[in-house]
Amino acid sequence: DSGVTQTPKHLITATGQRVTLRCSPRSGDLSVYWYQQSLDQGLQFLIQYYNGEERAKGNILERFSAQQFPDLHSELNLSSLELGDSALYFCASSVAPGVNTEAFFGQGTRLTVV
Amino acid sequence: GNSVTQMEGPVTLSEEAFLTINCTYTATGYPSLFWYVQYPGEGLQLLLKATKADDKGSNKGFEATYRKETTSFHLEKGSVQVSDSAVYFCALRAPSNQGGKLIFGQGTELSVKP
């Protein structure tokens, strides 16, 4: 158990809908990262937060947004869903975004858009 | 920019065979390098890491050496087991002044047959 909790584990929704994925980082970790894993794109970095502030942005679509709350949990919002958004979404956390610190991953949320 | 390239899979080996999974990187500055492993249906787990040139990371019989001159971080294991069947990801972590995000290679699937 990595200590990073993601909910829900599975989500099935229709095209055009909006969903929210939730991540609770390990106790004491201030930095949260979101990744999308799909068969054709591999593991893509979406966005990173540190202590409530956006720190880095990757290949995140405009239809997607995220935030980190004062209690350090994070939510990833996906809207106007398309079939191609079906993927595994991982959250990871680390103490800080320092170069030597490792990131711990949650079990992921499997999103299926039908 | 920063990027990671891994050898393509799937790699299929017999039990007790020697394993090498190649990983090369492109980075500005001095990143840290990691190998993560993803077992079926699970999230990513840190396998080993190296934070500076010539460092050797090791864990569970796996080893990788940070080679700055060849920008490589190849994963090796002398004798693989069926339980090592998983997807292996090489990753680099950019310095914090570049965002500190983890950048992954495309993953290499390893299948070990008894």
Side-chain angles (χ1 to χ4, degrees), chain A residues 2 31 33 35 37 42-43 45 48 55-58 88 90 94 96-108, chain B residues 30-32 34 36 38 41-46 49 51 89 93-106:
Chain A
S2 67
S31 205
Y33 313 77
Y35 288 84
Q37 186 180 34
L43 205 59
F45 169 72
Q48 175 195 350
R55 184 70 183 242
K57 220 166 186 174
L88 256 177
F90 285 108
S94 66
V99 65
N100 292 334
T101 59
E102 60 225 48
F104 294 85
F105 281 75
Q107 300 274 56
Chain B
Y30 302 97
S32 288
F34 303 83
Y36 280 82
Q38 184 179 27
E42 297 187 13
L44 279 75
Q45 301 173 29
L46 178 68
K49 71 175 185 180
T51 58
F89 292 90
R93 191 181 190 82
S96 52
N97 62 358
Q98 296 176 28
K101 63 189 181 195
L102 268 175
I103 297 166
F104 288 87
Q106 67 270 40

Side-chain angles (χ1 to χ4, degrees), chain A residues 9-110:
Chain A
K9 288 192 77 170
H10 302 277
L11 200 46
I12 302 175
T13 190
T15 54
Q17 295 298 303
R18 173 190 167 94
V19 297
T20 297
L21 312 183
R22 183 188 169 101
C23 169
S24 294
R26 285 190 329 151
S27 177
D29 284 358
L30 300 179
S31 205
V32 169
Y33 313 77
W34 285 98
Y35 288 84
Q36 179 193 58
Q37 186 180 34
S38 57
L39 281 173
D40 55 343
Q41 295 285 323
L43 205 59
Q44 297 287 314
F45 169 72
L46 296 178
I47 197 162
Q48 175 195 350
Y49 284 84
Y50 175 67
N51 206 19
E53 301 283 328
E54 184 184 300
R55 184 70 183 242
K57 220 166 186 174
N59 301 323
I60 187 165
L61 300 172
E62 282 192 19
R63 301 183 284 109
F64 296 1
S65 65
Q67 54 184 323
Q68 186 179 27
F69 295 86
D71 66 353
L72 301 176
H73 91 272
S74 177
E75 293 181 356
L76 178 67
N77 300 296
L78 315 176
S79 61
S80 304
L81 285 167
E82 302 175 358
L83 295 178
D85 297 327
S86 296
L88 256 177
Y89 291 84
F90 285 108
C91 168
S93 73
S94 66
V95 171
V99 65
N100 292 334
T101 59
E102 60 225 48
F104 294 85
F105 281 75
Q107 300 274 56
T109 293
R110 181 170 293 282

Side-chain angles (χ1 to χ4, degrees), chain B residues 16-108:
Chain B
E16 299 183 4
F18 185 86
L19 168 72
T20 300
I21 300 178
N22 290 338
C23 170
T24 57
Y25 68 91
T26 302
T28 53
Y30 302 97
S32 288
L33 301 174
F34 303 83
W35 277 99
Y36 280 82
V37 58
Q38 184 179 27
Y39 297 103
E42 297 187 13
L44 279 75
Q45 301 173 29
L46 178 68
L47 183 58
L48 53 84
K49 71 175 185 180
T51 58
K52 61 183 188 299
D54 300 325
D55 262 4
K56 179 187 279 189
S58 61
N59 185 28
K60 300 181 182 179
F62 290 90
E63 292 182 342
T65 301
Y66 189 148
R67 301 275 188 214
K68 188 163 175 286
E69 62 277 10
T70 54
T71 62
S72 65
F73 192 54
H74 305 320
L75 182 69
E76 296 183 337
K77 186 174 185 182
S79 176
V80 293
Q81 305 300 311
V82 172
S83 57
D84 293 327
S85 298
V87 181
Y88 292 81
F89 292 90
C90 184
L92 71 80
R93 191 181 190 82
S96 52
N97 62 358
Q98 296 176 28
K101 63 189 181 195
L102 268 175
I103 297 166
F104 288 87
Q106 67 270 40
T108 302

